[in-house]
Amino acid sequence: SSDLQQELNQLTIMGTILLITFNSAGSALSNLPGFMEKLKTVIEVLLTEMHLPSFNLKEAMAAISEKICVEVNSGLSRHGFTSLSTEKETILKGQIQAAADPDNHIHKLIDSRIQTYLESCLSSCQQKSLPSPPGGLGPMQ
């Protein structure tokens, strides 16, 4: 069950980062083909060893925040949008780095939505279809 808990922690952090990123970068990026997948891969790769005792979450989150800003800016400029200002980038990095904190309000929101979704999946597992994920979890499917 600790593996499952680990995976849920990772999903919660990923969902939190994606929500923060798309709120900061605007809707422009959410419609770009493959962009969401690219961000998910970046996050997954940098959280891969989260289960190891030697894993440093603070360092990983700092690396994720840097990489996400690079991806966001290249995505924006590649599609003719204005890159993030230095100020917006600093704010985004700070928000991403805070995303792993269980007390972070967005982290709490995503966590509770994942729990609710899992409960509804479990209660509907007798039926053939899975319920739709609640708001904010769509990108994680």
Side-chain angles (χ1 to χ4, degrees):
S1 138
S2 67
D3 282 356
L4 187 60
Q5 190 55 55
Q6 201 61 54
E7 217 166 298
L8 284 175
N9 285 346
Q10 215 166 323
L11 268 180
T12 303
I13 292 172
M14 179 184 291
T16 306
I17 293 171
L18 291 173
L19 190 61
I20 289 167
T21 303
F22 286 105
N23 279 345
S24 301
S27 56
L29 292 176
S30 57
N31 303 322
L32 296 183
F35 190 75
M36 180 78 67
E37 288 310 312
K38 191 175 230 178
L39 291 188
K40 282 162 68 172
T41 305
V42 164
I43 299 165
E44 274 174 29
V45 167
L46 290 167
L47 292 180
T48 303
E49 299 181 340
M50 202 171 157
H51 60 285
L52 300 176
S54 61
F55 183 78
N56 185 325
L57 187 58
K58 199 171 162 59
E59 279 176 19
M61 295 305 287
I64 288 170
S65 73
E66 292 292 331
K67 192 90 178 81
I68 296 258
C69 282
V70 169
E71 293 297 343
V72 165
N73 280 329
S74 76
L76 287 169
S77 62
R78 218 176 27 250
H79 292 85
F81 300 105
T82 311
S83 295
L84 298 175
S85 65
T86 311
E87 186 188 358
K88 265 191 159 177
E89 210 173 291
T90 305
I91 292 168
L92 178 58
K93 284 178 187 172
Q95 289 177 330
I96 289 172
Q97 288 174 37
D101 181 350
D103 292 329
N104 176 294
H105 66 285
I106 301 171
H107 184 103
K108 280 181 170 168
L109 173 76
I110 294 290
D111 184 53
S112 82
R113 286 186 180 175
I114 288 175
Q115 301 292 343
T116 305
Y117 180 63
L118 289 176
E119 285 163 17
S120 63
C121 285
L122 289 172
S123 65
S124 72
C125 69
Q126 297 86 1
Q127 300 155 12
K128 295 283 179 272
S129 62
L130 285 177
S132 320
L137 299 188
M140 294 164 51
Q141 286 180 308

